[in-house]
Amino acid sequence: MLLLAGLVAAGCAGSRPAGPGPAPSPGPSTPGQAQPLIRYERTGGIAGFHDRLVVLADGSYTVTSRHGPGGTGVLSPAELSELRRLLDSAGFASIPATNPPPYPDGFEHHIWYADREVRAGDGAVPPALGPVVAALATVVRDHGGS
């Protein structure tokens, strides 16, 4: 929850709108590109949302969205530290790779972190992953996503 408050309060300072363009690929980076710290994709819902967030190791991020303007910015050092803490405390390596959504019109959350990917649907997000999903969804919502 601290990350959520910090992202809302301070995250807007470094953001700027991004122009339309292709969404970042959720796969691995190509040579010469900075390696992402984390990639997050939220799809589904009744309106057919498709939001993507890529956060690089230096805290810079890009949000792309089917229904929003998208945006770029840089997380503050405190926000980046909190995100890393949440990721580390979630025990990402031990979370099942697929947690199917029990709700047909809910969101599916897809996260790539530390050479691993996890999918979890609304209502099936493992408790340890909940704070991570909430923090990433806040960045998307507050910085150009749906």
Side-chain angles (χ1 to χ4, degrees):
M1 285 303 182
L2 291 175
L3 179 62
L4 295 176
L7 292 173
V8 171
C12 294
S15 65
R16 64 185 190 275
S25 165
S29 295
T30 58
Q33 287 183 322
Q35 185 65 25
L37 170 66
I38 188 166
R39 293 175 188 258
Y40 169 70
E41 189 172 302
R42 179 179 67 178
T43 59
I46 294 171
F49 292 100
H50 194 154
D51 299 320
R52 290 182 178 162
L53 168 67
V54 177
V55 179
L56 301 182
D58 67 358
S60 59
Y61 64 84
T62 301
V63 174
T64 58
S65 175
R66 178 181 293 163
H67 298 299
T72 60
V74 179
L75 298 175
S76 73
E79 292 166 337
L80 182 59
S81 176
E82 179 66 4
L83 180 58
R84 287 179 187 271
R85 186 193 68 74
L86 288 171
L87 288 163
D88 291 342
S89 68
F92 201 77
S94 65
I95 295 173
T98 303
N99 302 275
Y103 309 121
D105 290 328
F107 286 113
E108 182 171 337
H109 308 277
H110 195 173
I111 300 170
W112 293 263
Y113 173 67
D115 296 324
R116 187 154 189 277
E117 57 184 279
V118 171
R119 289 181 184 260
D122 280 350
V125 174
L129 194 58
V132 173
V133 169
L136 296 171
T138 296
V139 174
V140 168
R141 183 192 68 230
D142 292 350
H143 302 286
S146 313

